[in-house]
Amino acid sequence: MRRFARFFLDRLDRVSLVSKLVASTLIVLIIGTAGISYSIRQLVGNYLVDKIDSQLTNQNAQFIYTGAELMKSSDVLSNMPNNYFMQVRDAHNADPETWLLPTTLPDGLVSVPRLPASGSTNVTFGEPFTTSAIVTVAPHQGIGRGDIKAASSPWRVIALKVQDDKGRMQNICYIGLSMGDTYDTINTLTRYCVTVGIAIVLIGGSLSALIFQRTLVPLKRIEKTAAKIAAGDLSQRIPSAPENTEVGSLAASLNTMLARIESSFREQEETTEKMKRFVSDASHELRTPLAAIHGYAELYTMQRGMPGALERADESIAHIERSSQRMTVLVEDLLSLARLDEGRGIDMTQRVPVTTLVEDAADDLHALDPEREITRGAVALVRRPAPAGGADSAGGCDLAVTPGPMPDLALTGDVSRLRQVVTNIVGNIHRYTPADSPAQMGVGVVTASIAPAALAALPATDESMRRFLDAAEVGGSMGVGTDYAVLRFVDHGPGVPAESRPRLFERFYTADPSRAREKGGTGLGLAIAQSVAKAHKGFICATATDGGGLTFTIVLPIGPAAPAPSPTDGTAGEGQGGKGRAKAKGREGAKDKERKGSWFGGK
């Protein structure tokens, strides 16, 4: 039995979904129409039988017997149209005498009910019963099959008592009505129900097939799209459909899944490509000092027996020491990046004096380049000059370092790592810009309507910087969002082309095709800076300096912005021109705002 069921289920699984749905619909329609037809047949049949029984049970036996006897003596009954059958017997149910026969049948065709045998005591009075018909056909009358079939219909008969004046049973009267009309009505109704049922099944099956095929067309599209995706085209998407339908909801979910798969696949490809490039760059960077160490060691071996070998040995050892130091720095930077990628090697519980870090960086740069002019100041959000003939707001906003004292800022993070970031940026200014070119450094607080997690996910591009500035414009005007510490380092050196600036934070990236490192460094400083900034839920970006050069901007979250004071306090919020609180409290109020990072205005 189990094997047969398994065989049946296997065959059923091979049938298409449309065929299964249409077959199920047809089965439901057939069962439904058959059940309705049977119910109607039974209901109408019972109703007609009850009507016949009502006609029979409402008869008065004494009245019928007396009337029939009178009419019989005058021969009136034989000439009247009649559907009833009546037979009279004595009190002992014997000596039957038929007094009334139906006259609706053709001549030569007689149909009477089959009654209990003469003298039978098995008689129930007052309860109609169904009995078969006894049909007598006269020969050579040409009676058709339809008439004979109608005459063969069962009879509904009732037995009644006929009593005398003293209440004693005098006779037994059997009265019957043929059920030919009832059966004819039921058969006609059955044929009608069957005809209508067949039409319903055919129409319903056809409509269901069309509807199912139309409904499942999106599934065919999904199948074709899946085949294209399996062939390698991850850009394919399923045509959209109303999401309130099952297919539309499935299509939307699959498109979302496909978008994530494509994004993950692209990210995996990019990660794999970066890893290949990283391994190649790391191998190249390590090979250079190793080759130098190996070369100078061989040179020392070759020249140690020649005159002046001691002086040449010192020179070789010095070269070997410098190469080993470079390799040590490179390995330490690689280890730092690996730890940062794993979320290790950073302590986010320390109190970081941001202003002190920037001041120390300025002092270090001055020590390295005494001739360089270094300007310190506060970073604030300012309005860009509008184009000639344009509206006041056409220029947008930007960050600027305003000469003067830097606000005292601190945040929670890793002091040593953030100091490493600042040191790497200052080291780049020292190595890649002329020693007499000016530089500006500053720190400030800017309120921006962007979450730290969203900020940390931004790439190091000009578009990301513009997005932060837009969020800062909204946060500064409405006083909502997150307070960010903004560190800005501006140089006026040769700068970097726009297409190369986002790649400055890639590991081992250099704009020099010869991959030379005459300026020193390992090519990992900015990559470490970006990793540290992201670990602090911050953002770092390199943009072009007005007039030439490069500007590094570091944005680090401090905490939620403090609610703006209400106008009733006499400190109405400032507009874009930065005049509200400045007018209310004067220059001292403006400085206080600048320290808290809520200053927002133009020059």
Side-chain angles (χ1 to χ4, degrees):
M1 184 65 183
R2 184 178 298 175
R3 182 179 300 176
F4 174 76
R6 185 70 264 173
F7 175 79
F8 175 76
L9 292 177
D10 290 341
R11 291 297 182 90
L12 185 62
D13 292 339
R14 298 177 185 176
V15 181
S16 65
L17 180 59
V18 175
S19 300
K20 290 179 183 178
L21 293 175
V22 173
S24 300
T25 304
L26 290 176
I27 291 173
V28 171
L29 290 176
I30 291 172
I31 294 175
T33 53
I36 293 174
S37 299
Y38 178 77
S39 300
I40 292 176
R41 175 186 172 92
Q42 291 297 111
L43 180 64
V44 174
N46 293 335
Y47 171 75
L48 294 177
V49 171
D50 290 342
K51 192 173 182 180
I52 293 175
D53 292 346
S54 178
Q55 293 178 7
L56 294 175
T57 55
N58 290 335
Q59 306 295 334
N60 187 294
Q62 187 69 37
F63 176 76
I64 293 174
Y65 179 80
T66 303
E69 187 177 17
L70 293 174
M71 296 176 71
K72 178 185 175 185
S73 61
S74 61
D75 294 331
V76 177
L77 290 175
S78 59
N79 297 323
M80 293 181 61
N82 172 52
N83 292 326
Y84 285 89
F85 165 85
M86 188 173 69
Q87 187 180 92
V88 179
R89 300 184 182 184
D90 60 16
H92 301 288
N93 197 23
D95 297 330
E97 183 179 357
T98 301
W99 284 14
L100 196 60
L101 289 173
T103 59
T104 56
L105 297 175
D107 293 339
L109 181 62
V110 179
S111 175
V112 296
R114 188 180 299 277
L115 301 177
S118 179
S120 174
T121 58
N122 187 17
V123 179
T124 302
F125 297 99
E127 293 184 6
F129 61 92
T130 302
T131 182
S132 59
I134 301 175
V135 181
T136 304
V137 182
H140 311 295
Q141 291 292 325
I143 301 174
R145 287 185 178 181
D147 294 332
I148 296 176
K149 185 177 180 180
S152 301
S153 300
W155 286 76
R156 196 70 175 169
V157 181
I158 188 172
L160 301 174
K161 295 180 181 180
V162 180
Q163 299 175 342
D164 57 11
D165 296 338
K166 296 182 180 180
R168 294 176 297 183
M169 187 172 67
Q170 181 180 358
N171 295 95
I172 298 175
C173 180
Y174 290 94
I175 302 175
L177 272 174
S178 175
M179 299 178 68
D181 292 340
T182 299
Y183 275 70
D184 183 61
T185 302
I186 293 175
N187 292 333
T188 302
L189 182 62
T190 301
R191 287 193 298 269
Y192 175 77
C193 290
V194 170
T195 303
V196 173
I198 292 174
I200 291 175
V201 170
L202 293 177
I203 296 174
S206 301
L207 289 177
S208 63
L210 293 175
I211 293 173
F212 291 148
Q213 288 179 352
R214 176 64 180 174
T215 303
L216 296 180
V217 165
L219 292 183
K220 293 290 185 181
R221 297 175 182 169
I222 293 175
E223 178 185 359
K224 293 180 180 179
T225 303
K228 293 179 181 178
I229 293 173
D233 187 3
L234 296 179
S235 63
Q236 289 292 326
R237 293 294 181 269
I238 298 169
S240 60
E243 293 192 11
N244 60 333
T245 63
E246 291 79 0
V247 176
S249 177
L250 175 63
S253 300
L254 289 178
N255 283 334
T256 302
M257 180 189 70
L258 291 174
R260 291 182 178 178
I261 290 176
E262 183 182 13
S263 176
S264 300
F265 186 78
R266 301 302 180 202
E267 289 178 359
Q268 183 180 7
E269 285 185 335
E270 293 176 0
T271 302
T272 304
E273 187 64 28
K274 288 181 179 179
M275 183 60 66
K276 291 180 181 179
R277 188 167 60 250
F278 172 74
V279 172
S280 176
D281 293 339
S283 301
H284 178 84
E285 295 294 338
L286 288 173
R287 185 178 61 182
T288 302
L290 286 174
I293 292 173
H294 180 72
Y296 282 108
E298 286 186 347
L299 181 62
Y300 169 75
T301 303
M302 290 168 39
Q303 296 180 348
R304 64 182 176 179
M306 299 175 63
L310 184 60
E311 291 79 4
R312 288 190 295 272
D314 292 340
E315 183 179 353
S316 297
I317 293 300
H319 282 291
I320 291 174
E321 184 180 4
R322 286 194 297 270
S323 297
S324 64
Q325 289 175 352
R326 174 176 171 77
M327 190 167 58
T328 300
V329 173
L330 179 62
V331 172
E332 288 179 353
D333 287 347
L334 288 173
L335 182 60
S336 296
L337 278 174
R339 289 176 176 175
L340 289 172
D341 291 341
E342 294 175 358
R344 300 186 296 113
I346 188 166
D347 184 6
M348 299 295 296
T349 61
Q350 303 173 7
R351 192 66 177 170
V352 182
V354 180
T355 305
T356 302
L357 293 182
V358 177
E359 289 178 345
D360 292 345
D363 293 339
D364 293 342
L365 183 59
H366 179 71
L368 293 171
D369 300 323
E371 299 178 1
R372 188 187 302 272
E373 179 186 352
I374 302 174
T375 302
R376 311 180 190 190
V379 176
L381 194 66
V382 298
R383 174 69 58 187
R384 278 184 177 273
D392 292 340
S393 61
C397 294
D398 198 359
L399 295 171
V401 177
T402 304
M406 290 187 292
D408 188 11
L409 296 180
L411 53 85
T412 303
D414 191 316
V415 177
S416 60
R417 288 296 186 182
L418 289 178
R419 185 179 295 277
Q420 184 181 11
V421 171
V422 174
T423 300
N424 289 341
I425 294 176
V426 170
N428 283 343
I429 296 175
H430 166 65
R431 284 192 293 268
Y432 299 110
T433 63
D436 57 351
S437 64
Q440 292 87 36
M441 300 181 187
V443 65
V445 177
V446 173
T447 302
S449 59
I450 183 172
L455 180 68
L458 295 177
T461 61
D462 292 356
E463 181 62 28
S464 300
M465 191 65 196
R466 172 48 52 192
R467 180 176 174 183
F468 172 75
L469 293 175
D470 292 341
E473 185 176 7
V474 175
S477 60
M478 301 184 64
V480 295
T482 303
D483 286 338
Y484 291 96
V486 180
L487 291 71
R488 199 158 174 93
F489 302 87
V490 184
D491 68 59
H492 296 274
V496 177
E499 62 274 8
S500 300
R501 283 198 296 269
R503 301 192 60 189
L504 289 176
F505 300 94
E506 294 182 6
R507 301 173 185 187
F508 295 115
Y509 175 78
T510 175
D512 185 2
S514 65
R515 307 174 64 88
R517 298 292 183 188
E518 292 85 357
K519 299 293 184 178
T522 62
L524 298 175
L526 293 181
I528 294 175
Q530 186 181 51
S531 297
V532 172
K534 288 185 178 295
H536 285 78
K537 301 297 181 184
F539 167 74
I540 185 171
C541 180
T543 56
T545 303
D546 292 339
L550 198 62
T551 299
F552 285 94
T553 303
I554 305 173
V555 182
L556 301 173
I558 299 177
S566 62
T568 57
D569 297 335
T571 56
E574 297 183 51
Q576 288 184 337
K579 300 178 180 178
R581 188 176 293 185
K583 286 185 177 181
K585 290 188 175 182
R587 183 175 300 176
E588 188 63 29
K591 290 182 179 179
D592 181 68
K593 284 171 55 181
E594 187 173 343
R595 294 189 199 101
K596 295 182 180 179
S598 61
W599 184 76
F600 179 75
K603 292 183 178 180

